[in-house]
Amino acid sequence: MTMRRLLIFGPPGSGKGTQAALLAERRRLAHISTGDMLRAAMAAGSELGHQVRALVEAGDLVSDELMLALVERRLEEDDTREGFLLDGFPRTVKQAEGLLETLGADRAPDGVLLLSVPDEELVRRALARGRADDNESTIRHRLGVYRRQTAPVLGFLKGRLPILEIEGVGTLEEITERIERELDAADS
Ligand code: AMP
C-alpha cells in the first residue's frame, strides 16, 4: 500500500512546513497547509482574514468550527482525490475527531508523520532566524499552545492510525531522507 493520505505533525520551528512542501511535490499530493491558507486570507483582506488576524498574530488557535469548515471545503476539491498532505491540521482533538468523521472509512488517512525536535533546539533555531515576531516569549507561547492543545491529538490518533516518528534534527536533506525511508518502509 502506498501512503497517499497523510498528516504531518511537528512543533513550531520543527521544519514541518518546509518538509511538507517538498514531500507533497515529490509524491504529488495536495499540500493543505492551514497556516498558509489563513495567511493568504489575511493578505487578501478577506472577511476570513479579518476574523483570524488577531489570533494568528498572537500564536493562538482559530476556532475548531471555522477550521473544520475550511478544511472540509478544501478536501472536496479534485486535487485531493489522488492524495493529500495535511500540514498544521488537526491542531486539537476536536479537529481530529471532525476530520476522521468527514473522511470516513473510504478516505481515512494512511498515516501520521511526526517530526520530533527538543524544545531547546526549537528556541535556539527561532532566535537564530531573528524575525520580529520571534522573540523568546512568543516562541515559548507557541510551544506551550502546541504542548497543551496539539500534542494530545497524537494520543488520540495513536491506535487509530500508524504514526511514523522522524527525528527532526540535522540538515534539511538528512531529514528529507529519513522521511522518505520511513514512508518507503511503510509502503512496502
Ligand atoms: P502555522 O503556519 O501552521 O504555524 O499556523 C499559523 C497560525 O495559524 C497558528 O499559530 C494559528 O493561529 C493558526 N492556525 C493554523 N492552523 C490552525 C488550526 N488547525 N487550528 C487553529 N489555528 C490554526
Side-chain angles (χ1 to χ4, degrees), residues 19-137:
Q19 291 295 342
L22 293 169
L23 175 64
E25 195 178 305
R26 280 195 310 274
R27 298 205 166 210
R28 299 186 186 288
L29 309 172
H31 180 202
I32 307 180
S33 160
T34 47
D36 285 353
M37 289 165 83
L38 297 178
R39 280 184 291 272
M42 285 162 58
S46 68
E47 189 184 333
L48 172 68
H50 289 294
Q51 266 176 294
V52 303
R53 180 178 295 278
L55 292 165
V56 171
E57 284 178 352
D60 288 319
L61 297 186
V62 173
S63 79
D64 290 333
E65 291 69 26
L66 206 157
M67 294 309 302
L68 267 166
L70 191 70
V71 170
E72 281 170 11
R73 221 178 313 134
R74 180 68 184 86
L75 283 167
E76 283 168 12
E77 288 175 37
D78 280 347
D79 66 331
T80 66
R81 295 281 144 201
E82 298 296 313
F84 55 79
L85 175 61
L86 275 168
D87 166 10
F89 183 95
R91 285 274 231 286
T92 65
V93 172
K94 236 204 175 111
Q95 291 178 12
E97 287 170 341
L99 175 71
L100 295 189
E101 197 180 311
T102 298
L103 291 171
D106 285 359
R107 299 181 80 198
D110 299 315
V112 178
L113 291 167
L114 169 63
L115 275 184
S116 49
V117 181
D119 274 11
E120 288 322 304
E121 168 72 11
L122 295 171
V123 174
R124 199 190 56 73
R125 284 187 200 176
L127 292 175
R129 272 205 307 262
R131 263 172 29 190
D133 59 343
D134 273 350
N135 63 56
E136 185 153 354
S137 78

